[in-house]
Amino acid sequence: MSKTSRDAARAVIQARFRESVDRDVSGLAAQLCEERRLLAPDGMPAAALCLGSHPGVTQLLWAEFQPDWADVVYVYDGTRPEQTRYLNAKLHLTVALAAAGDEATPGVQAALLEAHRALHALWRVWAGYQATTTDALAHAVTEFEDVR
């Protein structure tokens, strides 16, 4: 396999990743905040800060994301567990951020770190699954070959 075909397949997978896996969890986050009766430090209901927070939370999560191909291998079982963990981590981050009044508290930083971990784990599995299930993209993974 050539480096050019590998890089082309990887570019296709990378271009599809964010749009394929990222979902708006702000409505569910607002519901959780209401159920828990969470308030921001200024007394505002945290649920109000959740609604419409999707673009900001998404930007926060993806700002430093860099796809790493080092651990991507062929995946045959799908991505559901990793997708669920990522969305749960994003939900937790959204609630933590709203309850902190959009301040970068230690709790928010911990939630962000966990969400980044979940995003990277999802990346490895998602990219591997794309390469496994799409013949044209199989060259993206070099699990069994050397790239020249």
Side-chain angles (χ1 to χ4, degrees):
M1 162 193 7
S2 74
K3 185 177 180 318
T4 303
S5 64
R6 181 205 67 188
D7 291 347
R10 286 180 176 185
V12 169
I13 290 172
Q14 288 173 207
R16 295 178 183 170
F17 181 56
R18 181 173 172 170
E19 127 184 4
S20 296
V21 302
D22 199 41
R23 300 289 177 268
D24 185 347
V25 298
S26 60
L28 185 55
Q31 181 181 344
L32 284 174
C33 287
E34 283 179 8
E35 289 171 3
R36 296 175 186 171
R37 294 187 172 104
L38 296 177
L39 298 174
D42 66 359
M44 174 183 254
L49 294 173
C50 290
L51 296 175
S53 66
H54 174 67
V57 172
T58 297
Q59 177 60 30
L60 186 63
L61 271 168
W62 291 81
E64 297 178 20
F65 176 77
Q66 292 295 320
D68 181 5
W69 287 92
D71 296 326
V72 175
V73 297
Y74 293 113
V75 173
Y76 300 93
D77 297 337
T79 64
R80 184 169 296 216
E82 289 79 12
Q83 179 80 30
T84 300
R85 279 192 279 286
Y86 165 68
L87 291 175
N88 281 330
K90 184 176 180 184
L91 176 64
H92 179 70
L93 172 62
T94 303
V95 169
L97 194 58
D102 290 336
E103 294 296 323
T105 64
V108 169
Q109 291 299 324
L112 179 59
L113 181 61
E114 187 55 38
H116 278 142
R117 285 184 189 130
L119 178 59
H120 284 281
L122 176 58
W123 160 253
R124 285 189 303 273
V125 172
W126 191 89
Y129 189 68
Q130 296 303 303
T132 303
T133 59
T134 310
D135 289 341
L137 302 178
H139 296 296
V141 176
T142 58
E143 183 174 3
F144 301 114
E145 308 181 61
D146 289 328
V147 178
R148 296 174 215 247

